[in-house]
Amino acid sequence: MRLFMEVLIPVEKGNASVVDKSMSAALNRFIDAAKPEAAFFHLREGKRAAIFVFEEMKQDKLVEYNEAFFSTLNAEIWITPTLNLAELQKHL
């Protein structure tokens, strides 16, 4: 299943995690494990944010992916199943 994940990182924790390199480590762990087909980084509500699109068939893997962002970055996370245009058109 293709998933759309958005991660929102609080400013204070984000600042500290840049200095101690834990943000880079958390992002790299997630990217190595989930192998997202797309990754975008931006600001949302004045906070660091990221969007990832990736495939995952095992729901329990989401716990692994989320925990690095929760425990290391105090992040808020939203995960939504998503379709690309071709997949949507097949069902319309």
Side-chain angles (χ1 to χ4, degrees):
M1 173 183 330
R2 182 178 294 105
L3 300 170
F4 177 95
M5 173 193 269
E6 186 168 10
V7 178
L8 185 63
I9 303 165
V11 174
E12 296 80 14
K13 187 65 173 180
N15 290 345
S17 68
V18 167
V19 171
D20 70 12
K21 308 282 191 225
S22 60
M23 182 183 297
S24 177
L27 288 170
N28 287 330
R29 269 194 316 273
F30 171 76
I31 289 167
D32 289 344
K35 305 209 180 333
E37 65 187 65
F40 300 95
F41 304 91
H42 62 284
L43 293 177
R44 179 174 172 206
E45 301 171 11
K47 300 172 187 167
R48 292 173 180 91
I51 293 172
F52 302 102
V53 178
F54 61 100
E55 292 278 340
E56 185 55 65
M57 298 307 295
K58 297 178 181 178
Q59 289 181 345
D60 62 335
K61 291 288 284 182
L62 297 179
V63 174
E64 174 187 330
Y65 300 155
N66 295 344
E67 281 308 314
F69 294 125
F70 284 145
S71 62
T72 304
L73 304 174
N74 292 347
E76 293 179 53
I77 301 170
W78 297 268
I79 299 175
T80 306
T82 190
L83 301 171
N84 64 30
L85 180 58
E87 292 164 336
L88 176 64
Q89 289 175 331
K90 281 192 325 190
H91 301 285
L92 294 179

